[in-house]
Amino acid sequence: MKLSHTFLFVHDQDAALKFYRDVVGLEVRTDVTIEDGYRWLTVGPAGQPDVEIGLSRIGPPVPPTDHEALEALLAKGSLQGVIFELDDVDAKFEQVRATGAEVLQEPIDQFYGVRDCAFRDPSGNMIRFSTPRTQS
């Protein structure tokens, strides 16, 4: 078994695409619009061609009765995000911060063995970058 897809809710797929492609550096995997205007938009890291992150508007298959609650949680930044592992978290932090992305946490050494930082994407989702620390 292996992970193939995971999904993030976003308010605006175009803004999310610009952030994840142009700021984070992910590749566009799929971008198609199907029936009723539903847009299937996925991105992923170049080094993991078999992993796709769906950037989804709140809608089907989520029941309409839950849309308002999910929109409110997304607006507050209360939904889960993603974590990317890379070689140099400090360099990535500076590159992403330079774009004006909202900083949640500057790079810091964590007790659980990584150096990481955090931002919000345009919809409020948390995105973290981490680098494993070498054992001393």
Side-chain angles (χ1 to χ4, degrees), residues 26-39:
L26 301 180
E27 298 177 337
V28 176
R29 299 287 166 72
T30 308
D31 188 355
V32 296
T33 301
I34 56 176
E35 61 191 56
D36 298 326
Y38 181 82
R39 185 177 180 190

Side-chain angles (χ1 to χ4, degrees), residues 8-13 38-39 55-60 71:
L8 293 173
F9 284 126
V10 298
H11 293 297
D12 179 326
Q13 286 178 303
Y38 181 82
R39 185 177 180 190
L55 305 174
S56 303
R57 296 266 308 138
I58 295 171
E71 288 282 355

Side-chain angles (χ1 to χ4, degrees), residues 3 11-12 23 44 54 60 64 88 100 114 117 130:
L3 177 68
H11 293 297
D12 179 326
V23 174
D88 187 346
V114 301
C117 65
S130 71

Side-chain angles (χ1 to χ4, degrees), residues 13-53:
Q13 286 178 303
D14 289 325
L17 176 59
K18 183 176 180 181
F19 178 79
Y20 285 99
R21 181 192 60 210
D22 301 343
V23 174
V24 176
L26 301 180
E27 298 177 337
V28 176
R29 299 287 166 72
T30 308
D31 188 355
V32 296
T33 301
I34 56 176
E35 61 191 56
D36 298 326
Y38 181 82
R39 185 177 180 190
W40 183 265
L41 174 61
T42 66
V43 295
Q48 292 181 290
D50 56 343
V51 173
E52 297 187 44
I53 301 166

Side-chain angles (χ1 to χ4, degrees), residues 2 4 8 14 36 43 51 58 62 91 103 110 116 125:
K2 64 182 183 175
S4 68
L8 293 173
D14 289 325
D36 298 326
V43 295
V51 173
I58 295 171
V62 174
V103 175
Q110 299 286 6
D116 73 353
N125 294 301

